[in-house]
mmCIF file of all heavy atoms in Angstrom:
data_model
loop_
_atom_site.group_PDB
_atom_site.id
_atom_site.type_symbol
_atom_site.label_atom_id
_atom_site.label_comp_id
_atom_site.label_asym_id
_atom_site.label_seq_id
_atom_site.Cartn_x
_atom_site.Cartn_y
_atom_site.Cartn_z
ATOM 1 N N VAL A 1 -63.949 128.246 -90.865
ATOM 2 C CA VAL A 1 -65.283 128.173 -90.352
ATOM 3 C C VAL A 1 -66.234 129.007 -91.326
ATOM 4 O O VAL A 1 -67.316 128.618 -91.654
ATOM 5 C CB VAL A 1 -65.410 128.743 -88.888
ATOM 6 C CG1 VAL A 1 -66.895 128.965 -88.562
ATOM 7 C CG2 VAL A 1 -64.728 127.702 -87.951
ATOM 8 N N GLY A 2 -65.764 130.209 -91.767
ATOM 9 C CA GLY A 2 -66.525 131.005 -92.652
ATOM 10 C C GLY A 2 -66.804 130.307 -94.022
ATOM 11 O O GLY A 2 -67.858 130.337 -94.527
ATOM 12 N N GLY A 3 -65.729 129.644 -94.482
ATOM 13 C CA GLY A 3 -65.936 128.832 -95.708
ATOM 14 C C GLY A 3 -66.909 127.731 -95.573
ATOM 15 O O GLY A 3 -67.793 127.485 -96.466
ATOM 16 N N LEU A 4 -66.864 127.040 -94.505
ATOM 17 C CA LEU A 4 -67.829 125.967 -94.259
ATOM 18 C C LEU A 4 -69.203 126.455 -94.099
ATOM 19 O O LEU A 4 -70.226 125.833 -94.660
ATOM 20 C CB LEU A 4 -67.385 125.090 -93.066
ATOM 21 C CG LEU A 4 -66.160 124.258 -93.227
ATOM 22 C CD1 LEU A 4 -65.798 123.671 -91.837
ATOM 23 C CD2 LEU A 4 -66.288 123.200 -94.198
ATOM 24 N N LEU A 5 -69.424 127.549 -93.482
ATOM 25 C CA LEU A 5 -70.724 128.093 -93.279
ATOM 26 C C LEU A 5 -71.329 128.548 -94.630
ATOM 27 O O LEU A 5 -72.542 128.290 -94.919
ATOM 28 C CB LEU A 5 -70.759 129.315 -92.294
ATOM 29 C CG LEU A 5 -70.520 128.905 -90.823
ATOM 30 C CD1 LEU A 5 -70.416 130.166 -90.022
ATOM 31 C CD2 LEU A 5 -71.670 128.094 -90.423
ATOM 32 N N SER A 6 -70.508 129.169 -95.457
ATOM 33 C CA SER A 6 -71.046 129.657 -96.741
ATOM 34 C C SER A 6 -71.346 128.478 -97.634
ATOM 35 O O SER A 6 -72.341 128.508 -98.460
ATOM 36 C CB SER A 6 -70.100 130.646 -97.390
ATOM 37 O OG SER A 6 -68.923 130.036 -97.745
ATOM 38 N N LEU A 7 -70.548 127.435 -97.592
ATOM 39 C CA LEU A 7 -70.743 126.232 -98.374
ATOM 40 C C LEU A 7 -72.036 125.549 -97.915
ATOM 41 O O LEU A 7 -72.866 125.212 -98.796
ATOM 42 C CB LEU A 7 -69.566 125.229 -98.259
ATOM 43 C CG LEU A 7 -69.794 123.974 -99.030
ATOM 44 C CD1 LEU A 7 -69.723 124.180 -100.511
ATOM 45 C CD2 LEU A 7 -68.599 123.004 -98.662
ATOM 46 N N GLY A 8 -72.204 125.404 -96.700
ATOM 47 C CA GLY A 8 -73.453 124.822 -96.142
ATOM 48 C C GLY A 8 -74.787 125.543 -96.502
ATOM 49 O O GLY A 8 -75.705 125.079 -96.879
ATOM 50 N N ALA A 9 -74.625 126.947 -96.476
ATOM 51 C CA ALA A 9 -75.842 127.732 -96.792
ATOM 52 C C ALA A 9 -76.120 127.583 -98.364
ATOM 53 O O ALA A 9 -77.297 127.561 -98.690
ATOM 54 C CB ALA A 9 -75.518 129.209 -96.387
ATOM 55 N N GLY A 10 -75.078 127.511 -99.126
ATOM 56 C CA GLY A 10 -75.274 127.337 -100.551
ATOM 57 C C GLY A 10 -75.914 126.002 -100.909
ATOM 58 O O GLY A 10 -76.764 125.894 -101.847
ATOM 59 N N LEU A 11 -75.657 124.990 -100.191
ATOM 60 C CA LEU A 11 -76.164 123.634 -100.485
ATOM 61 C C LEU A 11 -77.563 123.478 -99.969
ATOM 62 O O LEU A 11 -78.324 122.715 -100.602
ATOM 63 C CB LEU A 11 -75.319 122.591 -99.884
ATOM 64 C CG LEU A 11 -73.931 122.396 -100.442
ATOM 65 C CD1 LEU A 11 -73.079 121.362 -99.726
ATOM 66 C CD2 LEU A 11 -73.991 122.031 -101.893
ATOM 67 N N THR A 12 -78.019 124.151 -98.982
ATOM 68 C CA THR A 12 -79.345 123.950 -98.417
ATOM 69 C C THR A 12 -80.398 124.774 -99.071
ATOM 70 O O THR A 12 -81.544 124.543 -98.984
ATOM 71 C CB THR A 12 -79.371 124.151 -96.899
ATOM 72 O OG1 THR A 12 -78.869 125.514 -96.684
ATOM 73 C CG2 THR A 12 -78.381 123.285 -96.133
ATOM 74 N N SER A 13 -80.015 125.894 -99.748
ATOM 75 C CA SER A 13 -81.067 126.826 -100.297
ATOM 76 C C SER A 13 -80.955 126.702 -101.778
ATOM 77 O O SER A 13 -80.154 127.423 -102.438
ATOM 78 C CB SER A 13 -80.764 128.198 -99.807
ATOM 79 O OG SER A 13 -81.714 129.052 -100.395
ATOM 80 N N CYS A 14 -81.872 125.894 -102.506
ATOM 81 C CA CYS A 14 -81.834 125.772 -103.902
ATOM 82 C C CYS A 14 -83.231 126.171 -104.397
ATOM 83 O O CYS A 14 -83.969 125.522 -105.103
ATOM 84 C CB CYS A 14 -81.599 124.331 -104.267
ATOM 85 S SG CYS A 14 -79.987 123.751 -103.897
ATOM 86 N N LYS A 15 -83.587 127.448 -104.014
ATOM 87 C CA LYS A 15 -84.919 127.957 -104.408
ATOM 88 C C LYS A 15 -84.817 128.366 -105.896
ATOM 89 O O LYS A 15 -83.838 128.844 -106.366
ATOM 90 C CB LYS A 15 -85.296 129.161 -103.659
ATOM 91 C CG LYS A 15 -85.555 128.867 -102.212
ATOM 92 C CD LYS A 15 -86.099 130.028 -101.384
ATOM 93 C CE LYS A 15 -86.377 129.647 -100.007
ATOM 94 N NZ LYS A 15 -87.003 130.742 -99.272
ATOM 95 N N GLU A 16 -85.926 128.062 -106.593
ATOM 96 C CA GLU A 16 -86.002 128.394 -108.023
ATOM 97 C C GLU A 16 -87.490 128.680 -108.284
ATOM 98 O O GLU A 16 -88.382 128.361 -107.577
ATOM 99 C CB GLU A 16 -85.483 127.149 -108.863
ATOM 100 C CG GLU A 16 -86.166 125.904 -108.643
ATOM 101 C CD GLU A 16 -85.518 124.723 -109.312
ATOM 102 O OE1 GLU A 16 -84.363 124.594 -109.281
ATOM 103 O OE2 GLU A 16 -86.317 124.038 -110.026
ATOM 104 N N GLU A 17 -87.746 129.159 -109.512
ATOM 105 C CA GLU A 17 -89.040 129.512 -109.929
ATOM 106 C C GLU A 17 -89.727 128.175 -110.452
ATOM 107 O O GLU A 17 -89.160 127.565 -111.422
ATOM 108 C CB GLU A 17 -89.036 130.539 -111.008
ATOM 109 C CG GLU A 17 -90.450 130.933 -111.484
ATOM 110 C CD GLU A 17 -91.155 131.844 -110.476
ATOM 111 O OE1 GLU A 17 -90.522 132.390 -109.604
ATOM 112 O OE2 GLU A 17 -92.404 131.878 -110.569
ATOM 113 N N ASN A 18 -90.764 127.695 -109.785
ATOM 114 C CA ASN A 18 -91.543 126.526 -110.198
ATOM 115 C C ASN A 18 -92.934 126.977 -110.565
ATOM 116 O O ASN A 18 -93.457 127.922 -110.022
ATOM 117 C CB ASN A 18 -91.619 125.553 -109.080
ATOM 118 C CG ASN A 18 -90.290 125.039 -108.698
ATOM 119 O OD1 ASN A 18 -89.685 124.193 -109.358
ATOM 120 N ND2 ASN A 18 -89.708 125.493 -107.563
ATOM 121 N N VAL A 19 -93.503 126.281 -111.606
ATOM 122 C CA VAL A 19 -94.839 126.641 -112.011
ATOM 123 C C VAL A 19 -95.785 125.424 -111.775
ATOM 124 O O VAL A 19 -95.522 124.291 -112.220
ATOM 125 C CB VAL A 19 -94.905 126.996 -113.541
ATOM 126 C CG1 VAL A 19 -96.290 127.296 -113.923
ATOM 127 C CG2 VAL A 19 -93.995 128.296 -113.723
ATOM 128 N N CYS A 20 -96.899 125.654 -111.059
ATOM 129 C CA CYS A 20 -97.901 124.666 -110.793
ATOM 130 C C CYS A 20 -98.991 124.949 -111.836
ATOM 131 O O CYS A 20 -99.661 125.942 -111.844
ATOM 132 C CB CYS A 20 -98.462 124.824 -109.365
ATOM 133 S SG CYS A 20 -99.772 123.781 -108.953
ATOM 134 N N SER A 21 -99.258 123.983 -112.630
ATOM 135 C CA SER A 21 -100.291 124.080 -113.695
ATOM 136 C C SER A 21 -101.529 123.247 -113.321
ATOM 137 O O SER A 21 -101.407 122.084 -112.900
ATOM 138 C CB SER A 21 -99.713 123.505 -114.964
ATOM 139 O OG SER A 21 -100.765 123.506 -115.972
ATOM 140 N N CYS A 22 -102.753 123.866 -113.379
ATOM 141 C CA CYS A 22 -103.931 123.208 -112.932
ATOM 142 C C CYS A 22 -104.948 123.173 -114.074
ATOM 143 O O CYS A 22 -105.128 124.061 -114.792
ATOM 144 C CB CYS A 22 -104.557 124.003 -111.777
ATOM 145 S SG CYS A 22 -103.521 124.131 -110.263
ATOM 146 N N ASP A 23 -105.622 122.039 -114.206
ATOM 147 C CA ASP A 23 -106.668 121.761 -115.119
ATOM 148 C C ASP A 23 -108.005 121.613 -114.446
ATOM 149 O O ASP A 23 -107.956 120.946 -113.436
ATOM 150 C CB ASP A 23 -106.395 120.518 -115.989
ATOM 151 C CG ASP A 23 -105.189 120.688 -116.895
ATOM 152 O OD1 ASP A 23 -105.017 121.815 -117.386
ATOM 153 O OD2 ASP A 23 -104.528 119.642 -117.193
ATOM 154 N N LYS A 24 -109.081 122.107 -114.993
ATOM 155 C CA LYS A 24 -110.410 121.926 -114.418
ATOM 156 C C LYS A 24 -111.150 120.973 -115.319
ATOM 157 O O LYS A 24 -111.327 121.227 -116.535
ATOM 158 C CB LYS A 24 -111.059 123.356 -114.296
ATOM 159 C CG LYS A 24 -112.343 123.283 -113.546
ATOM 160 C CD LYS A 24 -112.843 124.718 -113.357
ATOM 161 C CE LYS A 24 -113.947 124.882 -112.299
ATOM 162 N NZ LYS A 24 -114.406 126.237 -112.111
ATOM 163 N N THR A 25 -111.597 119.886 -114.818
ATOM 164 C CA THR A 25 -112.370 118.894 -115.624
ATOM 165 C C THR A 25 -113.791 118.767 -115.122
ATOM 166 O O THR A 25 -114.099 118.543 -114.050
ATOM 167 C CB THR A 25 -111.634 117.494 -115.488
ATOM 168 O OG1 THR A 25 -110.270 117.609 -115.683
ATOM 169 C CG2 THR A 25 -112.353 116.412 -116.285
ATOM 170 N N TYR A 26 -114.702 119.083 -116.097
ATOM 171 C CA TYR A 26 -116.109 118.952 -115.764
ATOM 172 C C TYR A 26 -116.577 117.513 -116.160
ATOM 173 O O TYR A 26 -116.269 117.084 -117.297
ATOM 174 C CB TYR A 26 -116.858 120.021 -116.547
ATOM 175 C CG TYR A 26 -116.914 121.390 -115.928
ATOM 176 C CD1 TYR A 26 -116.045 122.354 -116.375
ATOM 177 C CD2 TYR A 26 -117.780 121.706 -114.826
ATOM 178 C CE1 TYR A 26 -116.017 123.603 -115.747
ATOM 179 C CE2 TYR A 26 -117.675 122.901 -114.275
ATOM 180 C CZ TYR A 26 -116.878 123.860 -114.703
ATOM 181 O OH TYR A 26 -116.840 125.082 -114.075
ATOM 182 N N ILE A 27 -117.305 116.949 -115.337
ATOM 183 C CA ILE A 27 -117.837 115.638 -115.640
ATOM 184 C C ILE A 27 -119.358 115.798 -115.950
ATOM 185 O O ILE A 27 -120.144 116.320 -115.145
ATOM 186 C CB ILE A 27 -117.656 114.681 -114.479
ATOM 187 C CG1 ILE A 27 -116.227 114.410 -114.224
ATOM 188 C CG2 ILE A 27 -118.418 113.357 -114.678
ATOM 189 C CD1 ILE A 27 -115.772 114.668 -112.868
ATOM 190 N N THR A 28 -119.729 115.466 -117.214
ATOM 191 C CA THR A 28 -121.035 115.647 -117.701
ATOM 192 C C THR A 28 -121.640 114.274 -118.095
ATOM 193 O O THR A 28 -120.915 113.237 -118.029
ATOM 194 C CB THR A 28 -121.157 116.551 -118.921
ATOM 195 O OG1 THR A 28 -120.377 115.958 -120.010
ATOM 196 C CG2 THR A 28 -120.537 117.914 -118.557
#
């Protein structure tokens, strides 16, 4: 049971550093 719980927790949490890049476009 302990092994299954730790395996399940490892598979569901794949947090990583992600970067959201934004551009600002002026319409003239």
